[in-house]
Amino acid sequence: TEQYDETAQAPYYFSPDGGSFVTMDNQRSLTKKVEWIQNGGYRGAFWWELHCDLRLADEDERHNKHPLIDHVTRMLDQRVEQ
């Protein structure tokens, strides 16, 4: 079950037995990071890896989807357009 640390602005998960802890970004945490980038006047973002951020295109789609990368790109593109 996802939980969210409001201070860190990051989601985290414990395994059902409580023995494993995982944290990762989601659209909510990435929104906060992009807002920080934009409010600080920075010109972009990068990351080392967004493992498993891929959804293969359906038959009627031309391109694969990257939900998290696409979310960040849309937010940054909106800022450029303004």
Side-chain angles (χ1 to χ4, degrees):
T1 301
E2 179 181 295
Q3 297 184 45
Y4 198 82
D5 184 314
E6 292 295 336
T7 302
Q9 295 294 315
Y12 63 93
Y13 308 82
F14 281 101
S15 63
D17 67 0
S20 297
F21 170 78
V22 176
T23 183
M24 65 188 76
D25 281 310
N26 62 15
Q27 285 192 1
R28 181 178 177 188
S29 64
L30 287 172
T31 295
K32 291 295 186 181
K33 290 178 180 185
V34 172
E35 288 171 349
W36 180 85
I37 289 166
Q38 293 171 330
N39 292 334
Y42 298 102
R43 298 182 64 155
F46 79 96
W47 46 83
W48 293 112
E49 177 181 7
L50 281 175
H51 187 69
C52 295
D53 185 41
L54 172 66
R55 185 181 64 75
L56 298 176
D58 293 330
E59 291 179 19
D60 61 333
E61 296 175 313
R62 239 180 124 178
H63 302 286
N64 294 331
K65 305 286 185 197
H66 297 89
L68 297 176
I69 294 170
D70 294 344
H71 177 68
V72 170
T73 300
R74 278 191 303 275
M75 287 189 72
L76 293 173
D77 284 349
Q78 288 173 357
R79 182 67 172 227
V80 170
E81 292 171 1
Q82 294 177 357

